[in-house]
Structures are given as structure tokens and as C-alpha cells.
Amino acid sequence: MRRLLRIRGPMKHLLVLPLLLVAACGGGLDTHEGVIDAQIEAMNDITGVLKGVKDAKDAEAAKPKLEKLSKRLKEIQDAGEKLKGEPDPSLMEKKGQAFSTAMSNMMSAAMALPPEAHQILDSIDLR
């Protein structure tokens, strides 16, 4: 799939995001719903930052923000992994589309980055 989509740079890390949905789903990070809501919010924040990157200068300015958001995603994932039990199927039905949309928007924004931005942002793990 990577070769087909020519995924480079920070995009390579986005392919594992669907696994987060399985590991944790959407109040606070002490509920499945809170975790999925936090994931959606973080992905939307990343999308907003990525959409603002038009050149190397923008990428340099965005790098600290993306590093912070990357750390936040990791915290959310860790919280989701600590939750007991499986998410309610109705929650997955309720939140699944929003999660998919947020992930798709983030991937699209990352694919639209110019090559020089990929080189600068490649070290950031967005999963």
C-alpha cells in the first residue's frame, strides 16, 4: 500500500492510526468514548497544522506543534490501552464515521505536503 500511494515522510506513520480505533474508542481518557473523542480532536488539530504548511519555512514552524500533537496522540493511545473491556458496538457505530473522516482528512493533508516539508517533518511519529 505504501508503494501504491507513494507515502513518504510523516505519512508513513499514519497507516497505523486505524489500529488506534481498535485499541481504544471516544469525556475524559478514562472511557472508550473519551479516548476516541480525544483521538478525533488530535487528528483534526494535526490536519489544521499540516494544511498550513506550504514550504520549508512553514514546516520548520509547524514542527514543534506537530511534535506536541504526536506526544498527545501517544498519551491518548496509552490511555486507551489501559481501559478494560471492549468498546460498546453502538459507540463504534456512533463514532466510527467521525474517526474515519478525521483520519482521511489528516492523511490527505499529509500527502499534500511539499517534498521539502516531508524532509523536515519526517522524524515526527504521528501514530
Side-chain angles (χ1 to χ4, degrees):
M1 186 168 167
R2 279 184 80 181
R3 187 176 293 159
L4 179 64
L5 295 175
R6 295 182 192 265
I7 297 173
R8 297 179 295 244
M11 278 298 298
K12 67 185 177 193
H13 303 295
L14 298 180
L15 295 175
V16 294
L17 285 175
L19 299 176
L20 296 177
L21 184 58
V22 173
C25 292
L29 295 180
D30 57 347
T31 66
H32 290 290
E33 186 168 7
V35 169
I36 191 85
D37 286 342
Q39 289 173 316
I40 292 168
E41 181 181 354
M43 286 189 288
N44 287 337
D45 291 345
I46 290 168
T47 300
V49 173
L50 291 173
K51 284 185 174 183
V53 176
K54 305 296 181 207
D55 56 26
K57 182 180 176 182
D58 293 340
E60 289 291 348
K63 190 171 183 176
K65 296 174 195 172
L66 290 170
E67 288 170 339
K68 183 177 177 181
L69 289 167
S70 171
K71 181 179 177 186
R72 176 69 179 147
L73 271 177
K74 177 68 173 136
E75 291 168 357
I76 295 166
Q77 180 182 10
D78 291 346
E81 290 173 356
K82 292 176 185 174
L83 294 177
K84 303 238 187 278
E86 294 295 316
D88 186 305
S90 65
L91 175 63
M92 301 302 282
E93 190 174 309
K94 177 179 152 184
K95 300 289 183 173
Q97 182 60 44
F99 184 91
S100 294
T101 299
M103 184 176 14
S104 176
N105 291 341
M106 184 174 65
M107 291 179 74
S108 294
M111 286 192 300
L113 289 173
E116 64 271 16
H118 280 285
Q119 292 174 346
I120 294 166
L121 301 176
D122 189 44
S123 64
I124 301 172
D125 186 5
L126 296 175
R127 55 180 155 142

